[in-house]
Amino acid sequence: MEIYSSYEATSAKKVVLLYSGGLDTSCMLRWIPEQYGSKLIALTIDLGQPADFLAIKSKAENLGAEKAIILDAKKEFAERYISKAIMANALYEGAYPISTALARPLIAKKAVEIALLEGADAIAHGCTGKGNDQVRIETTILAMAPEMKIIAPIRSWKMNRDDEIRYANENGIPIPEKSKYSTDDNLWGRSVECDVLEYPDREPPSDAFEWCELPENAPSEPEYVKIGFAKGVPVELNGKTMGLLELVLKLNFIAGKHGIGVIDHMEDRVVGLKSRELYECPAAVCILKAHKDLQKAVSTIHQNHFIYSLEEKWAQMAYLGLWQDPLMENLDAAIKSANEKVFGEVELKLFKGSAIVVGRSSKNMLYDLKMATYSGEQAFSQQCSPGFIELYSLQTRMWKKVDDNGNLGKQQEYAKETA
Ligand code: ARG
């Protein structure tokens, strides 16, 4: 049974294709105008992935695109998306810094902007029907431009790789060398899938890594880096003020060299699949560690214990690409407010695959040496503690007492049920 959604295009006049320059989207460049009788604009967005954008542009033009647009969105990605992920300590399922996920809504937003500007009635993408990316991209497009039609050829054209190669040969499409892995790169990280990585019991081979040195080959001397924060966002690296884009690029290089940032994750995709994902996120791992540490130092116990639930929800929403949902704005407001006092510096020691926080300082720190110290002058009144413990433990002790007197207390009932 085939089910098509009403927002999928059956015809189109002008299509904006999210174009990477790879085999899939190059075939689409020909296939879409052929199938839909449409004009086509190729749109490639630079988010820090290693690519020859000039070559991609001329490839699209040579293959017949009416227009090929290259858009540099790195700064916007850093300042509007990555900065929020840092403030939210965003780790999906406690592990994945949502690097790919974070970029999709921005890519979709740019596609909508260009489509509206160019008078296009459909947007096409190269995502498969098994992943999260289709969900993120289409949700964003439909929320921003409800009339827009979607074309997702991989879901519908029924071509396998051999068919695509045949189609490419027939249409004069250059065939890039097949890479073993399916990858996605941007400033915040690199995702690696396929080939042997589909076997979750096997260690990722060394050729899966491009950003991170293997820990065993990393320098045998540690390197220290200091990250300075203002309102929860990194603003300094090793004492030098810089924009987030530059800082992330520099830190990816430094930490990657020390083998930091490898994440091997059993992941729950939104489409119900569980998959083994491999990530290289050197800067993200360092910055998130440093940020969490500093935030804990300047926030109260109540703030610290509560914020986790908001952060977890934020990461799930961002993983889903639900930036258009009002809950995202609600969460952003709370998270922004929880970062107002996050100023200071965190020092990390980078060594053979690990990044350890070794120091932090802040004008807003709620740490007081005179209170905390075990030596010298003491400001903490230890004689207050017995009274505190007496009241704090009151209910626990009462509950125990009922039980000790032979009454049927909760503990006995529970013990019976589980006996
Ligand atoms: N599982 C990750 C995510 O959903 C990575 C997806 C990688 N995408 C890709 N086209 N290789 O965010």
Side-chain angles (χ1 to χ4, degrees):
M1 186 177 62
E2 305 214 39
I3 303 169
Y4 293 108
S5 164
S6 60
Y7 66 75
E8 281 182 297
T10 47
S11 67
K13 290 196 193 70
K14 201 189 250 191
V15 179
V16 171
L17 167 68
L18 287 164
Y19 185 58
S20 71
L23 180 63
D24 290 343
T25 53
S26 294
C27 287
M28 286 169 202
L29 229 150
R30 283 292 173 112
W31 188 84
I32 290 168
E34 208 175 87
Q35 295 287 316
Y36 295 83
S38 65
K39 291 184 174 155
L40 188 142
I41 294 172
L43 171 62
T44 308
I45 299 164
D46 176 3
L47 292 173
Q49 69 274 38
D52 181 346
F53 292 103
L54 284 178
I56 291 174
K57 184 172 159 65
S58 58
K59 190 171 177 181
E61 284 160 351
N62 293 340
L63 290 174
E66 185 188 85
K67 208 186 230 185
I69 303 171
I70 307 288
L71 236 160
D72 181 353
K74 294 197 289 290
K75 199 161 180 282
E76 185 175 351
F77 185 45
E79 290 174 6
R80 309 274 286 270
Y81 291 76
I82 294 177
S83 64
K84 286 188 176 160
I86 296 169
M87 287 197 277
N89 296 301
L91 289 172
Y92 179 65
E93 299 188 319
Y96 165 40
I98 56 169
S99 42
T100 290
L102 212 49
R104 300 314 190 194
L106 173 57
I107 291 172
K109 182 175 107 161
K110 293 289 170 205
V112 169
E113 286 166 7
I114 297 288
L116 296 178
L117 204 71
E118 299 282 343
D121 53 346
I123 294 173
H125 63 72
C127 305
T128 76
K130 292 173 80 171
N132 298 311
D133 290 334
Q134 54 172 349
V135 180
R136 299 164 179 150
I137 288 178
E138 292 177 24
T139 299
T140 307
I141 294 171
L142 297 171
M144 288 185 73
E147 306 304 322
M148 199 60 70
K149 294 287 173 192
I150 306 281
I151 301 177
I154 303 257
R155 291 197 299 232
S156 59
W157 68 11
K158 299 190 180 70
M159 283 202 263
N160 59 28
R161 188 172 160 88
D162 290 340
D163 299 329
E164 280 185 34
I165 289 174
R166 201 170 314 119
Y167 183 83
N169 283 330
E170 285 163 13
N171 284 277
I173 299 166
I175 297 163
E177 210 178 301
K178 182 178 166 30
S179 64
K180 243 170 144 176
Y181 305 110
S182 160
T183 59
D184 176 65
D185 302 43
N186 65 47
L187 287 175
W188 203 227
R190 177 169 184 265
S191 308
V192 199
E193 293 173 334
C194 299
D195 202 66
V196 70
L197 300 176
E198 289 179 349
Y199 299 86
D201 56 330
R202 301 201 200 156
E203 182 179 355
S206 57
D207 68 359
F209 302 104
E210 274 185 15
W211 290 19
C212 298
E213 189 54 84
L214 292 176
E216 54 268 40
N217 299 334
S220 47
E221 290 297 318
E223 183 169 350
Y224 292 84
V225 289
K226 254 191 191 163
I227 307 173
F229 290 84
K231 292 194 176 189
V233 178
V235 290
E236 267 181 30
L237 186 63
N238 295 329
K240 199 170 162 243
T241 303
M242 60 185 80
L244 188 56
L245 170 58
E246 188 188 350
L247 191 146
V248 169
L249 287 171
K250 288 214 159 87
L251 199 52
N252 268 332
F253 178 75
I254 300 171
K257 202 173 64 192
H258 288 277
I260 289 147
V262 175
I263 297 148
D264 186 331
H265 185 220
M266 284 311 294
E267 185 165 309
D268 290 296
R269 290 193 192 165
V270 295
V271 292
L273 281 174
K274 206 176 275 290
S275 66
R276 190 269 195 98
E277 304 280 337
L278 186 68
Y279 300 105
E280 296 181 275
C281 305
V285 163
C286 293
I287 291 173
L288 292 174
K289 265 195 185 173
H291 176 267
K292 185 83 221 174
D293 186 280
L294 186 63
Q295 189 179 24
K296 283 171 78 177
V298 302
S299 308
T300 66
I301 182 174
H302 310 294
Q303 289 180 298
N304 282 332
H305 291 184
F306 184 72
I307 201 76
Y308 283 108
S309 59
L310 294 189
E311 290 170 357
E312 194 181 9
K313 190 67 193 167
W314 193 95
Q316 287 169 5
M317 296 291 286
Y319 183 79
L320 283 158
L322 289 176
W323 288 70
Q324 302 292 321
D325 191 281
L327 177 59
M328 208 57 179
E329 213 177 306
N330 305 156
L331 292 172
D332 273 342
I335 285 166
K336 184 164 180 263
S337 152
N339 276 275
E340 288 296 317
K341 298 273 182 188
V342 185
F343 284 82
E345 278 196 329
V346 179
E347 188 169 32
L348 293 155
K349 179 178 182 175
L350 315 180
F351 185 58
K352 289 203 175 284
S354 80
I356 305 170
V357 174
V358 292
R360 75 287 286 159
S361 61
S362 170
K363 61 181 166 92
N364 295 328
M365 195 124 87
L366 303 182
Y367 173 87
D368 183 341
L369 182 62
K370 283 208 201 82
M371 287 272 184
T373 187
Y374 285 100
S375 55
E377 195 190 334
Q378 308 234 349
F380 185 89
S381 322
Q382 297 199 41
Q383 63 276 19
C384 293
S385 287
F388 163 73
I389 296 165
E390 191 158 346
L391 298 185
Y392 197 69
S393 65
L394 186 57
Q395 293 211 357
T396 308
R397 290 183 294 109
M398 283 170 75
W399 189 80
K400 280 289 197 184
K401 209 166 158 193
V402 172
D403 190 51
D404 286 342
N405 288 346
N407 296 327
L408 205 57
K410 276 187 187 162
Q411 193 181 23
Q412 285 193 10
E413 275 174 25
Y414 176 75
K416 263 193 219 159
E417 274 169 25
T418 53

